[in-house]
Coordinates of all heavy atoms in Angstrom, one line a residue:
M1218 N 0.8 -1.2 0.0 CA 0.0 0.0 0.0 C 0.9 1.3 0.0 O 1.9 1.3 0.6 CB -0.9 0.0 1.2 CG -1.8 1.2 1.3 SD -2.7 1.3 2.9 CE -3.6 -0.2 2.9
Q1219 N 0.5 2.3 -0.8 CA 1.2 3.5 -0.8 C 1.1 4.2 0.6 O 0.2 4.0 1.3 CB 0.7 4.4 -1.9 CG -0.8 4.9 -1.6 CD -1.4 5.6 -2.8 OE1 -1.5 5.0 -3.8 NE2 -1.9 6.8 -2.7
S1220 N 2.1 5.0 1.0 CA 2.1 5.6 2.3 C 1.1 6.8 2.2 O 0.9 7.4 1.2 CB 3.5 6.1 2.7 OG 4.0 6.8 1.7
P1221 N 0.4 7.0 3.4 CA -0.6 8.0 3.4 C -0.1 9.4 3.1 O 1.0 9.8 3.6 CB -1.2 7.9 4.9 CG -0.7 6.6 5.4 CD 0.5 6.3 4.7
S1222 N -0.9 10.2 2.4 CA -0.5 11.6 2.1 C -0.9 12.5 3.2 O -0.3 13.6 3.3 CB -1.3 12.1 0.9 OG -1.3 11.2 -0.2
F1223 N -1.8 12.0 4.1 CA -2.2 12.9 5.2 C -2.0 12.0 6.5 O -3.0 11.5 7.1 CB -3.7 13.3 5.1 CG -4.0 14.0 3.8 CD1 -4.4 13.4 2.7 CD2 -3.7 15.4 3.7 CE1 -4.7 14.1 1.5 CE2 -4.0 16.1 2.6 CZ -4.4 15.5 1.5
P1224 N -0.8 11.9 7.0 CA -0.5 11.1 8.2 C -1.3 11.5 9.4 O -1.5 10.6 10.3 CB 1.0 11.2 8.4 CG 1.5 12.3 7.5 CD 0.5 12.5 6.4
E1225 N -1.7 12.7 9.5 CA -2.5 13.2 10.6 C -3.8 12.5 10.7 O -4.5 12.5 11.7 CB -2.6 14.7 10.6 CG -3.5 15.3 9.5 CD -2.7 15.6 8.2 OE1 -1.6 15.0 8.0 OE2 -3.2 16.4 7.5
L1226 N -4.2 11.9 9.5 CA -5.6 11.2 9.6 C -5.4 9.7 9.9 O -6.4 9.0 10.1 CB -6.2 11.3 8.1 CG -6.6 12.7 7.7 CD1 -7.2 12.6 6.3 CD2 -7.7 13.3 8.7
S1227 N -4.2 9.2 10.0 CA -3.9 7.8 10.3 C -4.6 7.4 11.6 O -4.4 8.1 12.6 CB -2.4 7.6 10.3 OG -2.1 6.3 10.5
G1228 N -5.3 6.3 11.5 CA -5.9 5.8 12.8 C -7.3 6.4 13.1 O -7.9 5.9 14.0
K1229 N -7.7 7.4 12.3 CA -9.0 7.9 12.5 C -10.0 6.9 12.1 O -9.7 5.9 11.3 CB -9.3 9.2 11.7 CG -8.3 10.3 12.1 CD -8.5 11.0 13.4 CE -7.6 12.2 13.6 NZ -7.5 12.6 15.0
R1230 N -11.3 7.1 12.4 CA -12.4 6.2 12.1 C -13.4 6.9 11.3 O -13.8 8.1 11.6 CB -13.0 5.5 13.3 CG -12.0 4.7 14.1 CD -12.4 4.6 15.6 NE -12.3 5.9 16.2 CZ -12.5 6.1 17.5 NH1 -12.7 5.1 18.3 NH2 -12.5 7.4 18.0
A1231 N -13.9 6.3 10.2 CA -14.9 7.0 9.3 C -16.1 6.0 9.1 O -16.0 4.8 9.0 CB -14.2 7.3 8.0
I1232 N -17.3 6.7 9.0 CA -18.5 6.1 8.5 C -18.7 6.6 7.1 O -18.7 7.8 6.9 CB -19.7 6.4 9.4 CG1 -19.5 5.7 10.7 CG2 -21.0 6.0 8.7 CD1 -20.6 6.0 11.7
V1233 N -19.0 5.7 6.2 CA -19.4 6.1 4.8 C -20.7 5.5 4.5 O -20.8 4.2 4.3 CB -18.3 5.7 3.7 CG1 -18.7 6.2 2.4 CG2 -16.9 6.3 4.1
T1234 N -21.7 6.3 4.3 CA -23.0 5.7 4.0 C -23.0 5.6 2.5 O -22.5 6.4 1.7 CB -24.2 6.6 4.5 OG1 -24.2 7.8 3.7 CG2 -24.1 6.8 5.9
G1235 N -23.7 4.5 2.0 CA -23.7 4.3 0.5 C -22.3 3.9 0.1 O -22.0 4.2 -1.1
G1236 N -21.5 3.3 0.9 CA -20.1 3.0 0.6 C -19.8 1.8 -0.2 O -18.7 1.5 -0.5
A1237 N -20.9 1.0 -0.5 CA -20.7 -0.3 -1.2 C -20.3 -0.1 -2.6 O -19.6 -1.0 -3.2 CB -22.0 -1.2 -1.1
T1238 N -20.8 0.9 -3.3 CA -20.6 1.1 -4.7 C -20.4 2.5 -5.0 O -20.5 3.4 -4.2 CB -21.8 0.6 -5.6 OG1 -22.9 1.4 -5.2 CG2 -22.2 -0.9 -5.3
G1239 N -20.0 2.8 -6.3 CA -20.0 4.2 -6.9 C -19.1 5.1 -6.1 O -17.9 4.7 -5.7
I1240 N -19.5 6.3 -5.9 CA -18.7 7.4 -5.3 C -18.4 7.0 -3.9 O -17.3 7.2 -3.4 CB -19.5 8.7 -5.4 CG1 -19.7 9.1 -6.8 CG2 -18.8 9.8 -4.6 CD1 -20.7 10.3 -7.0
G1241 N -19.4 6.4 -3.2 CA -19.1 6.0 -1.8 C -18.0 5.0 -1.7 O -17.2 5.1 -0.7
R1242 N -18.0 4.1 -2.5 CA -16.9 3.1 -2.5 C -15.6 3.8 -2.8 O -14.5 3.4 -2.2 CB -17.2 2.0 -3.5 CG -16.1 1.0 -3.4 CD -16.3 -0.3 -4.1 NE -15.1 -1.1 -4.2 CZ -15.1 -2.4 -4.2 NH1 -16.2 -3.0 -4.3 NH2 -13.9 -3.0 -4.3
A1243 N -15.6 4.7 -3.7 CA -14.3 5.4 -4.0 C -13.9 6.2 -2.8 O -12.7 6.3 -2.5 CB -14.5 6.3 -5.2
I1244 N -14.8 6.8 -2.1 CA -14.5 7.6 -0.9 C -13.9 6.6 0.1 O -12.9 6.9 0.8 CB -15.7 8.3 -0.3 CG1 -16.1 9.4 -1.2 CG2 -15.4 8.8 1.1 CD1 -17.5 10.0 -0.9
A1245 N -14.5 5.5 0.3 CA -14.1 4.5 1.3 C -12.7 4.0 1.0 O -11.8 3.9 1.9 CB -15.1 3.3 1.4
T1246 N -12.5 3.8 -0.3 CA -11.1 3.3 -0.7 C -10.1 4.4 -0.4 O -9.0 4.1 0.1 CB -11.2 3.0 -2.2 OG1 -12.1 2.0 -2.4 CG2 -9.8 2.4 -2.7
A1247 N -10.4 5.6 -0.8 CA -9.4 6.7 -0.6 C -9.1 6.9 0.9 O -8.0 7.1 1.3 CB -10.0 8.0 -1.2
L1248 N -10.2 6.9 1.8 CA -10.0 7.0 3.2 C -9.1 5.9 3.7 O -8.2 6.1 4.5 CB -11.3 7.0 3.9 CG -12.2 8.2 3.7 CD1 -13.5 8.1 4.4 CD2 -11.5 9.6 4.1
S1249 N -9.4 4.7 3.3 CA -8.6 3.5 3.8 C -7.2 3.6 3.4 O -6.3 3.3 4.2 CB -9.2 2.2 3.1 OG -8.5 1.1 3.6
R1250 N -6.9 4.2 2.3 CA -5.5 4.4 1.8 C -4.8 5.4 2.7 O -3.5 5.5 2.7 CB -5.4 4.8 0.4 CG -5.8 3.7 -0.6 CD -5.6 4.0 -2.0 NE -5.9 2.9 -2.8 CZ -6.5 3.0 -4.1 NH1 -6.7 4.1 -4.6 NH2 -6.7 1.9 -4.8
Q1251 N -5.5 6.2 3.5 CA -4.9 7.1 4.4 C -4.9 6.5 5.8 O -4.7 7.1 6.8 CB -5.8 8.4 4.5 CG -5.9 9.2 3.2 CD -4.5 9.5 2.7 OE1 -3.6 9.9 3.3 NE2 -4.3 9.3 1.3
S1252 N -5.0 5.1 5.9 CA -4.9 4.4 7.1 C -6.1 4.8 8.0 O -5.9 4.8 9.3 CB -3.6 4.5 7.8 OG -2.6 4.0 7.0
I1253 N -7.2 5.1 7.5 CA -8.4 5.4 8.2 C -9.2 4.1 8.2 O -9.4 3.4 7.2 CB -9.3 6.6 7.6 CG1 -8.4 7.8 7.7 CG2 -10.6 6.7 8.2 CD1 -9.0 9.0 6.9
Q1254 N -9.7 3.8 9.4 CA -10.6 2.6 9.6 C -12.0 2.9 9.1 O -12.7 3.8 9.7 CB -10.6 2.1 11.0 CG -11.3 0.8 11.2 CD -11.4 0.5 12.7 OE1 -10.6 1.0 13.5 NE2 -12.3 -0.4 13.1
V1255 N -12.5 2.2 8.1 CA -13.7 2.6 7.4 C -14.8 1.7 7.7 O -14.7 0.4 7.5 CB -13.6 2.7 5.9 CG1 -14.9 3.2 5.2 CG2 -12.4 3.6 5.5
A1256 N -16.0 2.2 8.1 CA -17.2 1.5 8.3 C -18.1 1.8 7.1 O -18.6 2.9 7.0 CB -17.9 1.9 9.6
I1257 N -18.3 0.8 6.3 CA -19.1 0.9 5.1 C -20.5 0.6 5.4 O -20.8 -0.6 5.7 CB -18.6 0.0 3.9 CG1 -17.1 0.4 3.6 CG2 -19.5 0.0 2.7 CD1 -16.4 -0.6 2.7
C1258 N -21.4 1.5 5.3 CA -22.8 1.4 5.7 C -23.7 1.5 4.5 O -23.7 2.6 3.9 CB -23.2 2.3 6.8 SG -22.2 2.3 8.3
D1259 N -24.4 0.5 4.2 CA -25.2 0.5 2.9 C -26.4 -0.3 3.1 O -26.5 -1.3 3.8 CB -24.3 -0.1 1.8 CG -24.7 0.4 0.4 OD1 -25.8 -0.1 -0.1 OD2 -24.1 1.3 -0.2
I1260 N -27.4 0.0 2.2 CA -28.7 -0.7 2.2 C -28.5 -2.1 1.6 O -29.2 -3.1 1.9 CB -29.8 0.1 1.4 CG1 -31.1 -0.5 1.8 CG2 -29.5 0.0 0.0 CD1 -32.3 0.5 1.3
N1261 N -27.4 -2.2 0.8 CA -27.1 -3.5 0.2 C -25.9 -4.1 1.0 O -24.7 -3.9 0.8 CB -26.7 -3.3 -1.2 CG -26.4 -4.6 -2.0 OD1 -26.2 -5.6 -1.3 ND2 -26.4 -4.6 -3.3
L1262 N -26.3 -4.9 2.0 CA -25.2 -5.5 2.9 C -24.2 -6.3 2.2 O -23.0 -6.3 2.5 CB -25.9 -6.2 4.2 CG -24.9 -6.8 5.1 CD1 -24.0 -5.7 5.8 CD2 -25.7 -7.5 6.2
A1263 N -24.8 -7.2 1.3 CA -23.8 -8.1 0.6 C -22.8 -7.3 -0.2 O -21.6 -7.7 -0.1 CB -24.6 -9.0 -0.3
A1264 N -23.2 -6.2 -0.8 CA -22.2 -5.4 -1.6 C -21.3 -4.7 -0.6 O -20.1 -4.5 -0.9 CB -23.0 -4.4 -2.5
A1265 N -21.8 -4.3 0.6 CA -20.9 -3.6 1.5 C -19.9 -4.6 2.1 O -18.7 -4.2 2.2 CB -21.8 -3.0 2.7
E1266 N -20.3 -5.8 2.3 CA -19.4 -6.8 2.8 C -18.3 -7.1 1.7 O -17.1 -7.3 2.1 CB -20.1 -8.1 3.2 CG -20.9 -7.9 4.5 CD -21.8 -9.1 4.8 OE1 -22.2 -9.9 3.9 OE2 -22.2 -9.2 6.0
Q1267 N -18.7 -7.2 0.5 CA -17.7 -7.4 -0.6 C -16.8 -6.2 -0.7 O -15.6 -6.4 -0.8 CB -18.5 -7.6 -1.9 CG -17.5 -8.0 -3.0 CD -18.2 -8.3 -4.3 OE1 -19.4 -8.5 -4.4 NE2 -17.4 -8.4 -5.4
A1268 N -17.3 -5.1 -0.6 CA -16.4 -3.9 -0.7 C -15.4 -3.9 0.5 O -14.2 -3.6 0.3 CB -17.3 -2.6 -0.7
A1269 N -16.0 -4.1 1.7 CA -15.0 -4.1 2.9 C -13.9 -5.2 2.7 O -12.8 -4.9 3.0 CB -15.9 -4.4 4.1
A1270 N -14.3 -6.4 2.2 CA -13.3 -7.4 2.0 C -12.3 -7.0 1.0 O -11.1 -7.3 1.1 CB -14.0 -8.7 1.6
E1271 N -12.7 -6.4 -0.1 CA -11.8 -6.0 -1.1 C -10.9 -4.8 -0.7 O -9.8 -4.7 -1.1 CB -12.6 -5.7 -2.4 CG -13.1 -7.0 -3.0 CD -14.0 -6.7 -4.2 OE1 -14.1 -5.6 -4.7 OE2 -14.6 -7.7 -4.7
I1272 N -11.5 -3.8 0.0 CA -10.7 -2.7 0.5 C -9.8 -3.1 1.6 O -8.6 -2.7 1.6 CB -11.7 -1.6 1.0 CG1 -12.4 -1.0 -0.1 CG2 -10.9 -0.5 1.8 CD1 -13.5 0.0 0.2
G1273 N -10.2 -4.0 2.4 CA -9.3 -4.5 3.5 C -8.9 -3.5 4.5 O -9.7 -2.5 4.7
N1274 N -7.8 -3.6 5.1 CA -7.2 -2.6 6.0 C -8.2 -2.2 7.1 O -8.3 -1.1 7.6 CB -6.9 -1.3 5.2 CG -5.8 -0.5 5.8 OD1 -5.0 -1.0 6.5 ND2 -5.8 0.8 5.4
G1275 N -8.9 -3.3 7.6 CA -9.8 -3.1 8.7 C -11.2 -2.5 8.4 O -11.9 -2.3 9.3
A1276 N -11.5 -2.4 7.1 CA -12.8 -2.0 6.7 C -13.8 -3.0 7.2 O -13.6 -4.2 7.1 CB -12.9 -1.7 5.2
T1277 N -15.0 -2.5 7.6 CA -16.1 -3.3 8.0 C -17.4 -2.9 7.3 O -17.5 -1.8 6.8 CB -16.3 -3.2 9.6 OG1 -16.3 -1.8 9.9 CG2 -15.1 -3.9 10.3
A1278 N -18.4 -3.8 7.4 CA -19.6 -3.6 6.7 C -20.8 -3.6 7.6 O -20.8 -4.4 8.5 CB -19.8 -4.6 5.5
Y1279 N -21.8 -2.8 7.3 CA -23.0 -2.7 8.1 C -24.2 -2.4 7.2 O -24.1 -1.7 6.2 CB -22.9 -1.6 9.2 CG -21.8 -1.6 10.1 CD1 -20.5 -1.2 9.7 CD2 -21.9 -2.2 11.4 CE1 -19.4 -1.2 10.5 CE2 -20.8 -2.3 12.2 CZ -19.6 -1.8 11.8 OH -18.5 -1.8 12.6
A1280 N -25.4 -3.0 7.6 CA -26.6 -2.6 6.9 C -27.2 -1.3 7.5 O -27.1 -1.1 8.7 CB -27.6 -3.7 7.1
I1281 N -27.7 -0.5 6.6 CA -28.3 0.7 7.0 C -29.4 1.2 5.9 O -29.1 0.9 4.7 CB -27.3 1.9 7.2 CG1 -27.9 3.1 8.0 CG2 -26.8 2.4 5.9 CD1 -26.9 4.1 8.4
D1282 N -30.4 1.9 6.4 CA -31.3 2.5 5.4 C -31.4 3.9 5.9 O -32.1 4.2 6.8 CB -32.7 1.8 5.4 CG -33.6 2.5 4.3 OD1 -33.3 3.6 3.8 OD2 -34.6 1.9 4.0
V1283 N -30.7 4.9 5.2 CA -30.6 6.2 5.7 C -32.0 7.0 5.6 O -32.1 8.1 6.1 CB -29.6 7.0 4.9 CG1 -28.2 6.4 5.1 CG2 -29.9 7.2 3.4
R1284 N -33.0 6.4 5.0 CA -34.3 7.0 5.0 C -35.0 6.8 6.3 O -36.1 7.4 6.5 CB -35.2 6.3 3.9 CG -34.7 6.5 2.4 CD -35.4 5.7 1.5 NE -35.2 4.3 1.7 CZ -35.7 3.3 1.0 NH1 -36.5 3.6 0.0 NH2 -35.5 2.0 1.3
K1285 N -34.5 5.9 7.1 CA -35.2 5.6 8.4 C -34.3 5.9 9.6 O -33.2 5.3 9.8 CB -35.5 4.0 8.4 CG -36.4 3.7 7.3 CD -36.7 2.2 7.2 CE -37.7 1.8 6.1 NZ -37.6 0.4 5.7
R1286 N -34.8 6.9 10.4 CA -34.0 7.3 11.5 C -33.6 6.1 12.5 O -32.5 6.1 12.9 CB -34.8 8.3 12.3 CG -34.2 8.8 13.6 CD -35.0 9.8 14.4 NE -35.1 11.1 13.7 CZ -34.2 12.1 13.9 NH1 -33.2 11.9 14.7 NH2 -34.3 13.2 13.2
A1287 N -34.5 5.2 12.6 CA -34.2 4.1 13.6 C -33.1 3.3 13.1 O -32.2 2.8 13.8 CB -35.5 3.2 13.8
S1288 N -33.0 3.1 11.7 CA -32.0 2.3 11.1 C -30.6 3.0 11.3 O -29.6 2.4 11.6 CB -32.2 2.1 9.6 OG -31.2 1.5 9.0
V1289 N -30.6 4.3 11.0 CA -29.4 5.2 11.2 C -28.9 5.1 12.6 O -27.7 4.8 12.9 CB -29.6 6.6 10.7 CG1 -28.4 7.5 11.0 CG2 -30.0 6.7 9.3
E1290 N -29.8 5.3 13.6 CA -29.4 5.3 15.0 C -28.9 3.9 15.4 O -27.9 3.8 16.1 CB -30.6 5.7 15.8 CG -30.9 7.2 15.7 CD -32.1 7.6 16.5 OE1 -32.9 6.8 17.0 OE2 -32.3 8.8 16.6
A1291 N -29.5 2.8 14.9 CA -29.1 1.5 15.3 C -27.7 1.2 14.7 O -26.9 0.6 15.4 CB -30.1 0.5 14.8
T1292 N -27.6 1.5 13.4 CA -26.3 1.2 12.8 C -25.1 2.0 13.3 O -24.1 1.5 13.6 CB -26.4 1.4 11.2 OG1 -27.4 0.6 10.8 CG2 -25.1 1.1 10.6
F1293 N -25.4 3.3 13.5 CA -24.3 4.1 14.1 C -23.9 3.6 15.6 O -22.7 3.6 15.9 CB -24.7 5.6 14.1 CG -24.6 6.3 12.8 CD1 -24.7 5.6 11.6 CD2 -24.3 7.7 12.7 CE1 -24.6 6.2 10.4 CE2 -24.2 8.3 11.5 CZ -24.3 7.6 10.3
S1294 N -24.9 3.2 16.3 CA -24.7 2.7 17.7 C -23.8 1.4 17.5 O -22.9 1.2 18.3 CB -26.0 2.3 18.4 OG -26.7 3.5 18.7
E1295 N -24.1 0.6 16.5 CA -23.4 -0.6 16.3 C -21.9 -0.3 16.0 O -21.0 -1.0 16.5 CB -24.0 -1.5 15.3 CG -23.4 -2.9 15.2 CD -24.1 -3.7 14.0 OE1 -25.1 -3.3 13.5 OE2 -23.5 -4.7 13.7
V1296 N -21.7 0.7 15.1 CA -20.4 1.1 14.7 C -19.6 1.5 15.9 O -18.5 1.1 16.2 CB -20.4 2.2 13.6 CG1 -19.0 2.7 13.4 CG2 -21.0 1.6 12.3
V1297 N -20.3 2.4 16.7 CA -19.6 2.9 17.9 C -19.2 1.8 18.9 O -18.1 1.8 19.5 CB -20.5 4.0 18.6 CG1 -19.9 4.4 20.0 CG2 -20.6 5.2 17.7
E1298 N -20.2 0.9 19.0 CA -19.9 -0.2 20.0 C -18.7 -1.1 19.5 O -17.9 -1.5 20.3 CB -21.2 -1.2 20.0 CG -21.3 -2.1 21.2 CD -22.6 -2.8 21.2 OE1 -23.7 -2.1 21.3 OE2 -22.6 -4.0 21.0
R1299 N -18.6 -1.3 18.2 CA -17.5 -2.1 17.7 C -16.2 -1.4 17.6 O -15.1 -2.0 17.7 CB -17.9 -2.7 16.3 CG -18.8 -3.9 16.5 CD -19.4 -4.5 15.2 NE -18.3 -4.9 14.3 CZ -18.5 -5.4 13.1 NH1 -19.7 -5.6 12.7 NH2 -17.5 -5.8 12.3
T1300 N -16.2 -0.1 17.3 CA -15.0 0.6 17.0 C -14.6 1.7 18.1 O -13.5 2.2 18.0 CB -15.0 1.3 15.6 OG1 -16.0 2.4 15.7 CG2 -15.4 0.4 14.5
G1301 N -15.6 2.0 18.9 CA -15.3 2.9 20.0 C -15.7 4.3 19.6 O -15.6 5.3 20.4
G1302 N -16.1 4.6 18.3 CA -16.5 5.9 17.9 C -16.1 6.2 16.5 O -15.7 5.3 15.8
Y1303 N -16.3 7.4 16.0 CA -15.9 7.8 14.7 C -15.6 9.3 14.6 O -16.2 10.1 15.4 CB -16.9 7.4 13.6 CG -18.3 8.0 13.8 CD1 -18.6 9.2 13.2 CD2 -19.2 7.4 14.6 CE1 -19.8 9.8 13.3 CE2 -20.4 8.0 14.8 CZ -20.8 9.1 14.1 OH -22.0 9.7 14.3
E1304 N -14.6 9.7 13.9 CA -14.3 11.1 13.7 C -14.8 11.7 12.4 O -14.9 12.9 12.3 CB -12.7 11.3 13.7 CG -12.1 11.0 15.1 CD -11.9 9.5 15.4 OE1 -11.8 8.7 14.4 OE2 -11.8 9.1 16.6
I1305 N -15.0 10.9 11.4 CA -15.4 11.3 10.1 C -16.7 10.7 9.6 O -16.8 9.4 9.8 CB -14.3 10.9 9.1 CG1 -12.9 11.6 9.5 CG2 -14.6 11.3 7.6 CD1 -11.7 10.9 8.8
L1306 N -17.6 11.5 9.1 CA -18.8 11.0 8.6 C -19.0 11.5 7.1 O -19.0 12.7 6.9 CB -20.0 11.4 9.4 CG -21.4 11.2 8.8 CD1 -21.7 9.6 8.6 CD2 -22.5 11.8 9.7
C1307 N -19.1 10.5 6.2 CA -19.4 10.9 4.8 C -20.8 10.4 4.6 O -21.1 9.2 4.3 CB -18.5 10.2 3.9 SG -16.8 10.7 4.0
A1308 N -21.8 11.4 4.5 CA -23.2 11.2 4.3 C -23.4 11.1 2.8 O -23.9 12.1 2.2 CB -24.0 12.2 5.0
N1309 N -23.0 10.0 2.2 CA -23.0 9.9 0.7 C -24.2 9.3 0.1 O -24.6 9.5 -1.0 CB -21.7 9.2 0.3 CG -21.8 8.6 -1.1 OD1 -21.6 9.3 -2.1 ND2 -22.1 7.3 -1.2
A1310 N -24.9 8.4 0.9 CA -25.9 7.5 0.4 C -27.0 8.4 -0.2 O -27.4 9.4 0.3 CB -26.5 6.6 1.4
G1311 N -27.5 8.0 -1.4 CA -28.6 8.6 -2.0 C -28.9 8.1 -3.4 O -28.1 7.3 -3.9
V1312 N -30.0 8.5 -3.9 CA -30.3 8.1 -5.3 C -30.7 9.3 -6.1 O -31.2 10.3 -5.6 CB -31.4 7.1 -5.4 CG1 -31.0 5.7 -4.7 CG2 -32.7 7.6 -4.7
S1313 N -30.4 9.3 -7.4 CA -30.9 10.4 -8.2 C -31.4 9.8 -9.5 O -31.1 8.7 -9.9 CB -29.7 11.4 -8.6 OG -28.7 10.6 -9.2
T1314 N -32.4 10.5 -10.1 CA -33.0 10.0 -11.3 C -32.9 11.1 -12.4 O -32.8 12.3 -12.1 CB -34.5 9.7 -11.1 OG1 -35.1 10.9 -10.6 CG2 -34.7 8.6 -10.1
M1315 N -32.8 10.7 -13.6 CA -32.8 11.6 -14.7 C -34.1 11.5 -15.5 O -34.6 10.4 -15.8 CB -31.7 11.2 -15.7 CG -30.3 11.2 -15.0 SD -29.6 12.9 -15.1 CE -28.0 12.5 -14.5
Q1316 N -34.7 12.7 -15.8 CA -35.9 12.7 -16.6 C -35.9 13.9 -17.5 O -35.1 14.9 -17.3 CB -37.2 12.9 -15.7 CG -37.4 11.6 -14.8 CD -38.7 11.7 -14.2 OE1 -39.1 12.7 -13.6 NE2 -39.4 10.6 -14.1
H1317 N -36.7 13.8 -18.6 CA -36.8 15.0 -19.5 C -37.4 16.2 -18.7 O -38.2 16.0 -17.9 CB -37.7 14.6 -20.7 CG -37.1 13.5 -21.5 ND1 -35.9 13.8 -22.3 CD2 -37.4 12.3 -21.8 CE1 -35.6 12.7 -22.9 NE2 -36.5 11.7 -22.7
A1318 N -36.9 17.3 -19.0 CA -37.3 18.6 -18.3 C -38.8 18.7 -18.3 O -39.4 19.1 -17.2 CB -36.7 19.8 -19.0
L1319 N -39.5 18.3 -19.3 CA -41.0 18.6 -19.3 C -41.7 17.5 -18.5 O -42.9 17.7 -18.2 CB -41.5 18.6 -20.8 CG -41.0 19.8 -21.6 CD1 -41.5 19.6 -23.1 CD2 -41.4 21.1 -21.0
E1320 N -41.0 16.5 -18.0 CA -41.7 15.5 -17.2 C -41.4 15.8 -15.7 O -41.8 15.1 -14.9 CB -41.1 14.1 -17.6 CG -41.5 13.7 -19.0 CD -40.8 12.4 -19.4 OE1 -40.0 11.8 -18.6 OE2 -41.0 12.0 -20.6
Ligands
NAD2308 N1 -23.1 10.0 -9.9 C1 -23.3 11.3 -10.1 O1 -23.1 11.9 -11.2 C2 -23.8 12.2 -8.9 C3 -24.0 13.5 -9.1 C4 -24.5 14.3 -8.0 C5 -24.7 13.7 -6.8 N2 -24.6 12.3 -6.7 C6 -24.9 11.8 -5.4 O2 -23.7 11.1 -4.9 C7 -24.1 10.0 -4.1 C8 -23.5 8.7 -4.7 O3 -23.9 8.6 -6.0 P1 -23.4 7.3 -6.9 O4 -23.4 7.7 -8.3 O5 -22.1 6.7 -6.3 O6 -24.6 6.3 -6.6 P2 -24.7 4.7 -6.7 O7 -26.1 4.4 -7.0 O8 -23.6 4.2 -7.5 O9 -24.4 4.3 -5.2 C9 -25.3 4.6 -4.2 C10 -25.0 3.7 -3.0 O10 -26.0 4.1 -1.9 C11 -26.6 2.9 -1.5 N3 -27.9 3.3 -1.1 C12 -29.0 3.6 -1.8 N4 -30.1 4.0 -1.1 C13 -29.7 3.8 0.2 C14 -30.3 4.0 1.5 N5 -31.6 4.3 1.6 N6 -29.6 3.7 2.6 C15 -28.3 3.4 2.5 N7 -27.6 3.2 1.4 C16 -28.3 3.4 0.2 C17 -26.6 1.9 -2.7 O11 -26.8 0.6 -2.3 C18 -25.3 2.2 -3.4 O12 -24.3 1.4 -2.8 C19 -25.7 9.9 -4.2 O13 -26.2 10.6 -3.0 C20 -26.0 10.7 -5.4 O14 -27.3 11.3 -5.4 C21 -24.2 11.6 -7.7

């Protein structure tokens, strides 16, 4: 692994919502390369687990549905219980749709 560009971030803990794929996964990968311990939280747990396994470096996977407060609270509590806390939150999860302007 390349050495971290931001050594002051080394050992920090991050939550990345929607971290299983796309931009979130790229964020999780980039954070991990800075020796940040990443909790990948996603509605698709299987994809989150695969991402965590491939990213490695202590990355872990959790199920979450950011549309539901109870799910967010439960998952964040689980992360805190397992890791002791977090310093970085990337609230990335979301969906967007493309439609013609007149629709
Ligand atoms: N791709 C773009 O061009 C673009 C542009 C502007 C903003 N965004 C925003 O950036 C974020 C990531 O975009 P992306 O292109 O990587 O999307 P993506 O669809 O590739 O990934 C989204 C991830 O979020 C997860 N997810 C979806 N709904 C969820 C929920 N309710 N709870 C938890 N996880 C959920 C999905 O399982 C997936 O892993 C989104 O919020 C999107 O709206 C994307």
Side-chain angles (χ1 to χ4, degrees):
M1218 180 188 298
Q1219 66 193 57
S1220 50
S1222 314
F1223 302 96
E1225 66 274 23
L1226 295 178
S1227 182
K1229 303 285 188 201
R1230 298 155 295 188
I1232 290 176
V1233 182
T1234 66
T1238 63
I1240 296 168
R1242 178 167 172 153
I1244 292 169
T1246 302
L1248 293 175
S1249 179
R1250 287 184 181 149
Q1251 299 304 318
S1252 296
I1253 294 168
Q1254 187 183 340
V1255 183
I1257 298 171
C1258 302
D1259 202 285
I1260 199 167
N1261 185 341
L1262 179 59
E1266 288 173 337
Q1267 185 177 347
E1271 290 174 7
I1272 290 170
N1274 207 22
T1277 48
Y1279 302 82
I1281 196 171
D1282 184 345
V1283 298
R1284 296 169 299 182
K1285 298 177 181 161
R1286 176 180 289 272
S1288 173
V1289 173
E1290 289 176 350
T1292 300
F1293 281 29
S1294 293
E1295 191 184 345
V1296 172
V1297 169
E1298 200 173 296
R1299 281 176 60 179
T1300 65
Y1303 59 94
E1304 291 81 23
I1305 299 165
L1306 169 62
C1307 296
N1309 159 79
V1312 292
S1313 55
T1314 56
M1315 298 277 187
Q1316 290 190 320
H1317 294 294
L1319 294 178
E1320 294 171 3

